Amino acid sequence: MFFARSNSSQAPALEAVEHTQVVLNGTLTFPSIYRGEPSASVDAAWDQITKNVKFSVITEDDLTKIGQTVRPSTVRIDEKFGGGILAGFELGHQMHCLNMLRKHTYIDYYGPLNQDYLDNRIFYRIHLCLQSIMCTGDVGLITFDWVEGYKRSYPNFNTRHICRDSSKLYQWIEQAPHVPAAHVYRTMGTVDLPDSP
C-alpha cells in the first residue's frame, strides 16, 4: 500500500488498490478481447472497461485529500439529490481516450468523425491522456530479438510489471455512489472559470 500511496493522490478509491506481478504478453499476434478487427465482441470488451466514465460524488473532505479546494466554479450536486461534489475516475477516462484513438484507426468501420468531435476538435485534441501516461511513466525495459522474416530487430513486449489489479478497481468503482447525468446542472452561485489560464 505504501507504493500506491506514494504514487497516487489520496483519492477515495486508493483503498481498493492491490498490486500483483504480471508478465504481459505483448506479442503482436497474441489474441486479446481488446484488439483485432472491429466487431461486436471487441466493442463489447471496450465498453466494459470504458463504462466507468460515469459521474460519481465525493465530499468536501475527499476534495481536500486530493489537493483541491471548493471553488465558485466547482460542480456541486443539489442537496435534493444528496449533495456533494461531482467527480469522475481517471481509469475510466484513460480507457475512454485510448478507445477513442483505437476507433480512429478503424475509420472505415466506425465512420467519419461524429458531430460532437467536429464541433469540439480542440477539446478532443487536448484532453487525450498523454499527461497521465507521462506521469506514471513505466521504466520497465523492452529487449529486442532477431525474428525470422524481419529485417530489423523486433521488440520483445513480453515484459514484467507490478500492476494495480484493475478488476479490484473496477469493482470499487462500480460500488461507488454514482450521479445520473440528469442530476448535474448549475446550482446557485456558480461562477465559470475563464476558458484559458
Side-chain angles (χ1 to χ4, degrees):
M1 185 56 108
F2 171 77
F3 178 76
R5 290 197 185 284
S6 66
N7 290 288
S8 305
S9 68
Q10 296 300 308
L14 191 59
E15 69 186 45
V17 172
E18 289 185 22
H19 289 95
T20 182
Q21 193 169 120
V22 176
V23 175
L24 299 180
N25 189 328
T27 308
L28 293 180
T29 57
F30 185 75
S32 167
I33 61 173
Y34 303 110
R35 76 169 102 161
E37 292 296 315
S39 67
S41 61
V42 170
D43 284 343
W46 277 95
D47 287 347
Q48 189 65 32
I49 62 173
T50 59
K51 70 179 182 179
N52 287 310
V53 179
K54 300 182 222 178
F55 295 124
S56 189
V57 61
I58 62 172
T59 65
E60 287 189 24
D61 187 45
D62 292 330
L63 191 68
T64 301
K65 288 177 183 174
I66 63 169
Q68 295 187 29
T69 58
V70 175
R71 303 166 305 279
S73 59
T74 300
V75 177
R76 294 174 167 273
I77 305 304
D78 194 290
E79 290 299 325
K80 69 182 176 186
F81 299 123
I85 295 167
L86 186 70
F89 297 97
E90 281 281 4
L91 178 59
H93 175 240
Q94 291 162 349
M95 294 297 99
H96 161 75
C97 289
L98 188 58
N99 192 33
M100 189 170 69
L101 290 172
R102 177 191 70 87
K103 286 182 174 183
H104 285 350
T105 66
Y106 291 105
I107 201 81
D108 53 325
Y109 179 85
Y110 291 105
L113 302 175
N114 65 36
Q115 194 60 45
D116 184 49
Y117 175 86
L118 294 173
D119 292 342
N120 299 292
R121 289 175 200 215
I122 292 173
F123 171 75
Y124 277 92
R125 288 174 181 155
I126 64 175
H127 101 288
L128 294 175
C129 302
L130 177 63
Q131 288 178 321
S132 292
I133 293 169
M134 292 175 73
C135 176
T136 57
D138 191 334
V139 295
L141 297 173
I142 297 169
T143 59
F144 294 82
D145 293 291
W146 295 111
V147 177
E148 185 178 335
Y150 290 86
K151 292 182 179 178
R152 293 182 174 178
S153 57
Y154 195 83
N156 178 358
F157 292 120
N158 300 309
T159 53
R160 184 177 305 240
H161 296 264
I162 304 294
C163 298
R164 290 180 174 185
D165 186 333
S166 59
S167 64
K168 302 267 190 215
L169 291 176
Y170 278 117
Q171 287 172 10
W172 193 97
I173 291 168
E174 194 58 41
Q175 294 171 4
H178 291 110
V179 179
H183 294 185
V184 179
Y185 58 89
R186 288 178 175 272
T187 53
M188 292 287 283
T190 300
V191 174
D192 289 346
L193 284 177
D195 187 29
S196 58

